[in-house]
Amino acid sequence: MKGLFKGNISLFILPLILWATSAKADLLLEPFVGYMPSGTIKVGASEENLSGAVFGARVGWSSALGLMLGVDYTTGMLKDADAPKSDLTPKNLGAFVGWDFPLLLRVWGVLGIKDSVDAESTSSKVSYDGTTSLKLGVGLTTLPFISLNAEYLVAEYESGAVKTKTSGIIVGASLPFEL
């Protein structure tokens, strides 16, 4: 009976040892660039179209099982369609969590921690502090080392009594490196 028990334990320990040696955690470095072809910015009662370049990086941890955790920093050069045009520079820092599926698909979400946007026109410059931001993304890793991404971004900012809300779809690419 003792020999039979010892053999059954090894049947449980061997897969556990094999899993533990294959389970690893990696440093994730993922620079990204994108373009917001059509977004909106709402300041008070007025609403304008918004477009422009977006770039940044995600830095964090990824597991062999697919879990990703870390921070996401996004900035860019956006323009609204108002006359006179305004240049907008968002600066969004957030915490992200995601999952890298084994079949070419990645998903993630980013919750803003520290957000701001600078709006500059020919007549004025205003800085808005972020109150909330959320970004949801999906990526296809069909090419080696490149993920083709689509993200939905919604953010709210305020400067004194003036509240601003931006939203839009960002399409782009990233280079997820695991070290």
Side-chain angles (χ1 to χ4, degrees):
M1 186 74 139
K2 232 180 189 180
L4 181 62
F5 182 68
K6 195 183 255 183
N8 287 338
I9 292 287
S10 66
L11 288 176
F12 293 110
I13 292 177
L14 181 61
L16 185 61
I17 290 172
L18 291 174
W19 178 78
T21 58
S22 69
K24 60 183 173 90
D26 291 322
L27 175 66
L28 174 67
L29 299 174
E30 184 175 1
F32 57 84
V33 296
Y35 186 74
M36 180 185 291
S38 178
T40 60
I41 181 168
K42 185 176 182 180
V43 180
S46 71
E47 187 171 320
E48 297 293 332
N49 290 329
L50 186 66
S51 64
V54 177
F55 49 92
R58 281 181 281 279
V59 177
W61 169 84
S62 68
S63 75
L65 300 175
L67 180 64
M68 302 180 296
L69 300 169
V71 294
D72 175 295
Y73 181 75
T74 303
T75 189
M77 298 174 287
L78 305 173
K79 292 190 180 292
D80 69 8
D82 197 10
K85 291 192 181 293
S86 293
D87 295 327
L88 300 155
T89 306
K91 298 174 210 150
N92 298 335
L93 178 67
F96 83 89
V97 62
W99 195 265
D100 192 356
F101 293 96
L103 298 173
L104 310 174
L105 182 68
R106 309 169 79 226
V107 295
W108 61 90
V110 180
L111 184 61
I113 299 171
K114 176 85 172 122
D115 301 324
S116 67
V117 66
D118 295 329
E120 185 174 354
S121 67
T122 55
S123 61
S124 67
K125 182 176 182 178
V126 180
S127 293
Y128 296 92
D129 290 324
T131 56
T132 59
S133 71
L134 178 67
K135 186 166 60 167
L136 301 173
V138 62
L140 292 172
T141 54
T142 58
L143 303 169
F145 305 114
I146 297 176
S147 178
L148 303 175
N149 304 325
E151 297 177 302
Y152 175 71
L153 170 69
V154 61
E156 293 182 5
Y157 306 96
E158 62 183 34
S159 178
V162 178
K163 294 190 179 194
T164 301
K165 183 175 181 178
T166 61
S167 63
I169 302 285
I170 302 167
V171 293
S174 63
L175 297 168
F177 296 108
E178 294 181 1
L179 308 173

